[in-house]
Amino acid sequence: MNPECAEADRWAAIGRLDADGGEPDGIHLARTVTQEVRRTGKHFLPQPLLLRLSEIRSHRAADRPPHLQAFLDCMLDEHEGRYWNRTYLSLPLLELLLGEVGEAPDPNRMATLLISDVIRFEIQAETQAREPQEPQESQESRESVDRDPPDPVTLRKRLHHALRFVAHDLDGPDADALISGAAHVPWSRWADTAELLPRPTATEAGHWFDMTVQPGYVLHDEYFFIRALQAHEMIFTAIAADVRAAIEALRAGRLDAAADHVDRAAGHFDRASALFRMVATMRPGHFSAFRQFTQGASAIESEQYKRFEILCGLPTTPRLQSAAFTSVPSVRGEAEGDAHDTVVRAYLDLRRSARFDEAEWNRFRNALGGLEERHQRWKSTHRSLAARMPTDG
């Protein structure tokens, strides 16, 4: 097919989704656009398509379904000059799905679904790469399959760490099977292993799950990199929730309950660190290639990590005025608000006003110390991984 005709057909397909001035079929529209992103990279979406999406979004905006609105907001971020970490990671859409997918729809579970998707993506890409290509197959079709997938050794490491991450959230035989499979399953049975992985339910929200990864470029590793960063945000959402619950327990005088929440938050850090082992399999050449198209979407803008920080203790004024917080104004506003509370403040207030056995105080202090120890270990691993990635280009 003539390339110009093929492109005209794609724009016509977008136009038909909003025919006769009616509300577009949201999931159909999102799938069509996502196919284009996977073909070209989000950074290279053509202007006619972006302008058409802007028109669709402006039509009856007040009546637009929230999933479609979030999708369009993320898709048009660079086009409208508001590109940043949250929209690069499709977090506005992903966060809408919390509470709508799976049997245990919490952030920690969502992280499991995200990394399960990575495993299926890697298995599918490798399976397609191993299949013989038909002579008549188009160049475009071949390119959609081969975006430089990893070599077998790198792939095995990536799948091993991803499977262990997923197994951490499972119980019983499924977890044992996954951990065993990470080391012993031959390639011919990887598809069977993938069937053991949790996935979103077949609901409207579950259908939108596939639309929450929109790579800026076309190299293979960016897909799993985005999913890993999304999982990181979900884990820190869970950590922040437990720290917030610990503050509430301290204010209610329930010291043991506060310690339980802090212990649980510390445990989540183990999963966050496990993500780094998976990200370490990313090839520096791929990172250097796609990062030039993600400028402005720095991980320094992680709202959930900053939220964890301000819930533990109020940052100093220089810290709040640094780029770490000016890049996340909503979190900075929370920290500076009169109603903001922290674990440190709640603990000191309770210490002054309540009487507990010293063993109970020690248990809470030990829990807090364990949280900070894991936090520092996580930061050290993060710095080590960042030092391995290229900074030029």
Side-chain angles (χ1 to χ4, degrees):
M1 178 182 291
N2 183 294
E4 292 184 0
C5 293
E7 184 167 321
D9 286 346
R10 283 194 288 272
W11 307 151
I14 294 293
R16 285 194 297 271
L17 296 175
D18 198 31
D20 301 323
E23 184 66 21
D25 175 359
I27 194 68
H28 188 187
L29 171 63
R31 283 181 179 142
T32 303
V33 174
T34 297
Q35 288 174 0
E36 188 69 13
V37 170
R38 304 289 169 79
R39 190 182 73 86
T40 68
K42 179 180 170 182
H43 180 81
F44 297 96
L45 288 178
Q47 284 296 308
L49 173 58
L50 294 170
L51 291 172
R52 184 69 185 116
L53 293 179
S54 294
E55 292 172 1
I56 291 174
R57 188 181 61 166
S58 64
H59 175 66
R60 292 173 56 187
D63 300 329
R64 177 144 299 110
H67 296 91
L68 177 58
Q69 182 66 42
F71 174 82
L72 291 173
D73 285 347
C74 293
M75 196 56 59
L76 292 167
D77 56 354
E78 193 171 5
H79 176 66
E80 297 177 347
R82 49 179 180 77
Y83 182 59
W84 67 311
N85 181 260
R86 277 184 58 79
T87 51
Y88 172 59
L89 299 182
S90 297
L91 292 178
L93 177 56
L94 194 63
E95 288 167 354
L96 282 177
L97 307 188
L98 285 175
E100 300 180 19
V101 296
E103 296 178 359
D106 58 31
N108 200 47
R109 180 66 169 181
M110 180 63 82
T112 298
L113 295 175
L114 292 165
I115 302 307
S116 295
D117 182 64
V118 166
I119 297 170
R120 285 190 290 268
F121 171 79
E122 296 289 346
I123 291 173
Q124 181 182 25
E126 179 64 12
T127 300
Q128 290 177 325
R130 292 180 181 221
E131 292 176 349
Q133 303 295 326
E134 296 294 332
Q136 68 272 23
E137 191 170 12
S138 70
Q139 178 66 25
E140 179 179 312
S141 176
R142 286 195 295 271
E143 288 177 353
S144 70
V145 171
D146 183 12
R147 302 292 187 165
D148 192 19
D151 62 86
V153 173
T154 300
L155 176 62
R156 175 70 67 167
K157 289 179 180 178
R158 185 173 299 171
L159 290 174
H160 172 81
H161 293 308
L163 282 169
R164 292 190 67 87
F165 181 93
V166 171
H168 185 279
D169 191 41
L170 304 178
D171 296 315
D174 284 351
D176 294 339
L178 286 179
I179 293 173
S180 174
H184 304 296
V185 168
W187 182 257
S188 61
R189 294 185 55 196
W190 273 100
D192 295 334
T193 300
E195 289 302 313
L196 297 173
L197 305 176
R199 63 176 70 233
T201 55
T203 62
E204 180 183 5
H207 296 318
W208 280 99
F209 180 83
D210 290 338
M211 312 304 140
T212 59
V213 55
Q214 305 291 347
Y217 195 37
V218 293
L219 285 176
H220 179 93
D221 280 9
E222 189 177 3
Y223 186 103
F224 105 86
F225 179 67
I226 288 174
R227 285 301 198 209
L229 293 184
Q230 291 172 332
H232 178 273
E233 290 298 296
M234 293 298 105
I235 290 172
F236 271 95
T237 299
I239 291 173
D242 269 312
V243 175
R244 190 178 291 109
I247 294 171
E248 293 173 358
L250 288 170
R251 291 302 182 191
R254 297 183 290 113
L255 191 58
D256 278 348
D260 288 341
H261 284 295
V262 172
D263 282 338
R264 188 156 45 244
H268 291 320
F269 263 104
D270 292 337
R271 294 201 88 196
S273 296
L275 283 173
F276 287 146
R277 290 189 283 275
M278 188 178 72
V279 172
T281 68
M282 183 170 59
R283 292 161 286 177
H286 274 215
F287 180 73
S288 180
F290 71 70
R291 75 182 294 270
Q292 62 184 305
F293 305 115
T294 63
Q295 296 298 324
S298 171
I300 196 175
E301 296 169 347
S302 170
E303 288 189 327
Q304 295 303 333
Y305 174 72
K306 300 300 190 314
R307 193 160 279 119
F308 158 73
E309 183 178 343
I310 68 171
L311 287 168
C312 289
L314 190 64
T316 63
T317 299
R319 172 72 173 162
L320 284 174
Q321 294 176 347
S322 70
F325 278 92
T326 57
S327 62
V328 286
S330 63
V331 181
R332 182 182 177 183
E334 292 174 24
E336 295 175 335
D338 293 338
H340 181 65
D341 205 354
T342 70
V343 168
V344 171
R345 185 182 301 160
Y347 165 73
L348 293 175
D349 287 350
L350 184 63
R351 183 77 183 185
R352 286 190 292 264
S353 63
R355 300 180 66 86
F356 287 94
D357 184 272
E358 195 60 29
E360 294 177 280
W361 291 116
N362 286 339
R363 190 205 162 204
F364 179 78
R365 284 194 295 265
N366 288 338
L368 210 56
L371 175 63
E372 181 57 17
E373 179 185 358
R374 284 185 168 98
H375 177 210
Q376 292 302 324
R377 192 185 310 157
W378 173 88
K379 289 172 65 175
S380 177
T381 305
H382 188 194
R383 286 192 294 267
S384 297
L385 179 60
R388 293 179 49 191
M389 295 299 165
T391 56
D392 57 350

